[in-house]
Amino acid sequence: MTEYDASPPETQARRFTVAADGTTHGDDGADGRLAASLRYACRVAGQLEFLTGAGDLEWVSTVSSTAVTARVGWSDAREVTLSAEVETGQARAPKEFTVVGGADVHAALGHCMQRVRQMLGTHWSAVITGDKRVVAAAVPQSGSAVLDAMAALPEVGVRALAVLGALEEPYRETCVLLDYTHGTMLVAAVGDHALYAFADKLDPQVVAEIVDEVRAVLAPGDVARADTIATGETRVDPLGTDPAAASAPVSAPASTALPAQQAGMRFRAAQPREPRTSRWGRRGG
């Protein structure tokens, strides 16, 4: 679960709601385009429950100069409902990193997976290219759970790309955070590609710094030409132990989808989630 800043906003937030039938009330600041695209992003992100066992999507927030925060609900027919607000604040200057040249793209991807895991405490993380190939991954070494996770990563990655594609860049400059019943998924654009990862809890400030680092490290390399990571193989690959090995060149057989009843993306017992106070209650009006 992501922790949100409870301090009063410096600017007046725009608020809107979306009903299960798509009817929008309020002002999204974009003549309804944001409401429609956010609803679509939530429908796509909500499908992760069937791939990962993460539970229902409950909140969506973006780290951006124009930030969106939405409470997500689900009707009996599994249609999305939203209570959202949009705040425009100061643009965040990306943290600068000095990147030493010479490392190939696979070493750079391996480094990024290691940093994401170390700094964010993720259960798993991956990079998927714009043409829907997983080119880096880090998952714990845990018998058949590794197989399940690697099989599901491409399907999850495709949805991560769809979430980014649904939201215009001003709303997702740094990243999108998707809060589920059992944890939070990070989705961030890296050029035409996407970094995505899952953890029990994420600190948006730390997330922003890691996203800056990943973008800086991968910028010199041609991620689009990186080798595809094997998915759905029968062997156990120690990706969680040595993330650099996850980006080593390997041939990739056709990936297989994770059955809906499995929750192979979860490796540790779910941590208790603290009750979240409604933003609407704090802000009033």
Side-chain angles (χ1 to χ4, degrees), residues 167-207:
L167 299 173
E168 296 179 9
E169 186 175 0
Y171 302 115
R172 55 161 179 84
E173 289 169 343
T174 299
C175 66
V176 180
L177 298 175
L178 304 167
D179 279 5
Y180 296 87
T181 306
H182 301 303
T184 302
M185 180 167 152
L186 156 70
V187 181
V190 182
D192 293 331
H193 320 300
L195 164 70
Y196 56 111
F198 192 88
D200 289 328
K201 184 183 294 186
L202 291 172
D203 180 333
Q205 181 175 350
V206 179
V207 166

Side-chain angles (χ1 to χ4, degrees), residues 7-197:
S7 59
E10 298 180 357
T11 58
Q12 183 65 36
R14 298 189 300 274
R15 298 180 180 178
F16 63 93
T17 62
V18 180
D21 64 358
T23 303
T24 301
H25 297 283
D27 177 22
D28 70 352
D31 297 324
R33 296 191 309 276
L34 173 58
S37 61
L38 185 61
R39 180 172 182 253
Y40 173 76
C42 289
R43 291 177 66 182
V44 171
Q47 296 171 2
L48 265 65
E49 157 62 11
F50 306 105
L51 289 168
T52 69
D56 282 337
L57 178 65
E58 298 179 339
W59 288 81
V60 174
S61 62
T62 69
V63 180
S64 188
S65 56
T66 302
V68 180
T69 303
R71 181 71 169 95
V72 183
W74 300 91
S75 70
D76 292 340
R78 295 296 296 175
E79 291 294 340
V80 176
T81 64
L82 296 171
S83 295
E85 66 182 24
V86 185
E87 293 179 296
T88 302
Q90 296 294 323
R92 185 186 70 87
K95 187 174 180 178
E96 295 184 1
F97 293 87
T98 300
V99 179
V100 179
D104 67 20
V105 67
H106 300 107
L109 286 164
H111 168 84
C112 290
M113 293 296 92
Q114 184 176 43
R115 290 289 291 162
V116 168
R117 187 185 62 192
Q118 289 176 341
M119 298 303 295
L120 301 181
T122 54
H123 290 288
W124 52 262
S125 58
V127 172
I128 190 169
T129 62
D131 61 357
K132 304 176 183 178
R133 295 182 303 108
V134 177
V135 292
V139 298
Q141 183 178 5
S142 182
S144 62
V146 174
L147 169 62
D148 294 343
M150 291 303 292
L153 281 177
E155 293 292 337
V156 176
V158 167
R159 285 157 179 78
L161 289 170
V163 168
L164 293 175
L167 299 173
E168 296 179 9
E169 186 175 0
Y171 302 115
R172 55 161 179 84
E173 289 169 343
T174 299
C175 66
V176 180
L177 298 175
L178 304 167
D179 279 5
Y180 296 87
T181 306
H182 301 303
T184 302
M185 180 167 152
L186 156 70
V187 181
V190 182
D192 293 331
H193 320 300
L195 164 70
Y196 56 111

